Amino acid sequence: MERSLHLPRADGTIAAFTPVNEPLIAPVRPAGGHHFNRVVYAAAHVVVDALADNDPWLDRNIDWERTIAFREYLWGLGLGVAEAMDTAQRGMGLDWSGAKELIAHAQSAARGRSDAVIAYGAGTDHLQPGADVTIDDVIRAYEEQVAYVEGQGGRVILMASRALAAAAKSPDDYIRVYDRILGQVKEPVIIHWLGSMFDPALAGYWGSADDMRAMETATAIINQNAAKVDGVKISLLSAEKEIVMRRRLDPSVKMYTGDDFNYAELIAGDDQGYSHALLGIFDAVAPAASAALAKLAQNDLDAFHGILAPTVPLSRHIFKAPTRFYKTGVVFLAYLNGFQDHFQMLGGQQSARSIQHLSELFRLADAARVLRDPDLATYRMKTILATVGIE
């Protein structure tokens, strides 16, 4: 097949491009399973049913077969799955009712395999923020979602709450909520601190618009409840802030990097520690993540960086501002790579990025060697280009 195509550039011109890099071969699952020296979750996307007769901006129709198949793929590469999180369009197309369905389907699949590592987002997104919402309302909302996840036999990722961000008057309100919920959970949870670049409604989380002051509150809550906290995932897109917090945590509490700009260096770590990972980009670059982690487990840092470093420019592009639209790039790459037969998303979010953005994504994916079938990817890229008049 002819791989060359014409891609638009940011300046409005169109230039010929040919993907030339052979794809990175996904590691074969070794006997006994993968053994990494980091705990790694890929936050996974959902596949919609593109043939459903619905109103795509309003209705939710999920292709459960393809959605669960993608989780099986991630498990086969040795990665854990962070389920019903923002990568699955939680709060941007996937509501709590849909999340409950997703959690039930994923947990059913996980029960069928011994190597399935999975944890589920529990938040308050069925509670709409408003002037009449109280801290007690937030607590009850968290309790409802935690109870559902635990009732399914799942582990909890305690998601940041838009309702709490709107209702809280001071850091004391955050202390009250988290102390209450952590005092009730059955197993240690992962606490999720999602920065405002990912969700503007979470600005000022932990009671301060200053991240370092907010960190003081978050760290105090976590360390006070260390027995109930497996780890904390922060998504601030700042390696410096993550390292500061990592060094302040109780030694029993893991740091899970959520930094889709600097994950390679944070996972590698330094002489004072390292981060584990809970990343949306690992949905998109799963084979590279698995291969790199295998090298890291062998203490081969050069090979680790050699595999993972080329994925960082791609990730920085996918997660560029407005960062909350990164899901579009993740799903687009899943389409290019044949994990779904269409480029459709919940809420019509496939329209959230420009054709220039998607074209640069294609170039960077080739450089990162994550186009697993360049012929198929080229054909599908041409299909998308034709919709904007580029033949």
Side-chain angles (χ1 to χ4, degrees):
M1 175 183 171
E2 174 58 50
R3 288 187 186 177
S4 64
L5 70 172
H6 292 86
L7 297 176
R9 298 186 292 199
D11 62 3
T13 61
I14 297 175
F17 179 79
T18 302
V20 296
N21 292 298
E22 289 303 310
L24 185 72
I25 302 302
V28 177
R29 183 182 185 275
H34 297 274
H35 296 284
F36 302 146
N37 56 3
R38 304 288 188 269
V39 180
V40 178
Y41 291 88
H45 74 283
V46 295
V47 182
V48 304
D49 180 358
L51 299 181
D53 183 12
N54 64 10
D55 295 305
W57 283 19
L58 304 175
D59 299 328
R60 181 191 71 250
N61 294 89
I62 295 176
D63 182 335
W64 293 115
E65 182 178 354
R66 286 294 183 93
T67 294
I68 298 305
F70 191 77
R71 279 110 181 106
E72 299 275 2
Y73 164 74
L74 293 173
W75 286 325
L77 291 171
L79 306 179
V81 172
E83 188 59 276
M85 302 293 290
D86 48 301
T87 304
Q89 295 184 245
R90 188 77 177 269
M92 288 185 67
L94 185 72
D95 59 13
W96 172 233
S97 176
K100 286 195 291 185
E101 285 187 87
L102 178 57
I103 290 165
H105 279 278
Q107 184 67 356
S108 177
R111 293 189 190 102
R113 22 187 330 153
S114 60
D115 61 346
V117 175
I118 190 166
Y120 304 93
T124 68
D125 48 322
H126 62 294
L127 176 65
Q128 292 300 312
D132 58 341
V133 172
T134 68
I135 296 301
D136 285 334
D137 293 329
V138 173
I139 289 172
R140 284 190 289 270
Y142 265 129
E143 288 174 337
E144 178 180 334
Q145 294 202 14
V146 169
Y148 180 81
V149 172
E150 292 183 336
Q152 291 289 319
R155 297 194 64 183
V156 170
I157 301 171
L158 206 59
M159 300 178 71
S161 166
R162 292 174 177 173
L164 177 55
K169 300 297 189 293
S170 73
D172 289 342
D173 288 327
Y174 288 88
I175 294 169
R176 178 183 167 196
V177 170
Y178 279 87
D179 281 353
R180 175 73 170 271
I181 301 304
L182 292 173
Q184 298 175 357
V185 294
K186 294 179 181 178
E187 295 184 11
V189 306
I190 297 173
I191 290 178
H192 189 193
W193 180 4
L194 195 65
S196 60
M197 67 288 291
F198 285 88
D199 186 347
L202 297 176
Y205 211 73
W206 305 113
S208 177
D210 182 294
D211 286 340
M212 300 310 293
R213 291 185 62 186
M215 187 186 298
E216 293 177 7
T217 300
T219 304
I221 291 170
I222 292 163
N223 289 346
Q224 183 67 30
N225 295 278
K228 291 296 187 77
V229 180
D230 169 69
V232 55
K233 177 215 168 157
I234 65 169
S235 299
L236 300 179
L237 302 183
S238 167
E240 293 77 14
K241 291 175 184 177
E242 179 174 319
I243 291 170
V244 168
M245 188 171 185
R246 188 170 76 193
R247 292 174 180 172
R248 293 179 180 177
L249 291 174
D250 184 281
S252 68
V253 177
K254 300 181 185 72
M255 170 59 76
Y256 290 93
T257 185
D259 188 335
D260 298 279
F261 282 9
N262 304 294
Y263 51 90
E265 63 185 88
L266 290 163
I267 293 169
D270 55 34
D271 58 1
Q272 296 186 53
Y274 54 81
S275 295
H276 302 274
L278 196 164
L279 289 162
I281 193 58
F282 278 5
D283 173 302
V285 301
S290 180
L293 288 163
K295 295 298 184 181
L296 185 63
Q298 299 166 6
N299 294 316
D300 189 342
L301 272 174
D302 288 341
F304 168 81
H305 286 296
I307 295 168
L308 211 54
T311 71
V312 174
L314 170 64
S315 186
R316 292 184 176 186
H317 179 71
I318 289 174
F319 284 80
K320 70 184 293 187
T323 301
R324 63 188 181 278
F325 296 135
Y326 77 86
K327 298 93 166 172
T328 301
V330 169
V331 174
F332 185 62
L333 197 48
Y335 167 65
L336 293 179
N337 279 331
F339 293 110
Q340 53 197 79
D341 296 328
H342 56 79
F343 180 40
Q344 300 292 311
M345 296 176 65
L346 293 174
Q349 286 287 314
Q350 68 274 4
S351 65
R353 293 295 201 185
S354 70
I355 192 64
Q356 287 88 350
H357 180 90
L358 299 178
S359 296
E360 182 63 11
L361 186 157
F362 185 86
R363 296 184 188 96
L364 292 169
D366 173 55
R369 300 175 60 202
V370 294
L371 296 177
R372 66 174 190 161
D373 181 343
D375 290 339
L376 175 65
T378 299
Y379 172 78
R380 291 190 163 185
M381 187 72 225
K382 287 180 177 179
T383 300
I384 297 299
L385 292 166
T387 66
V388 295
I390 300 175
E391 300 290 347

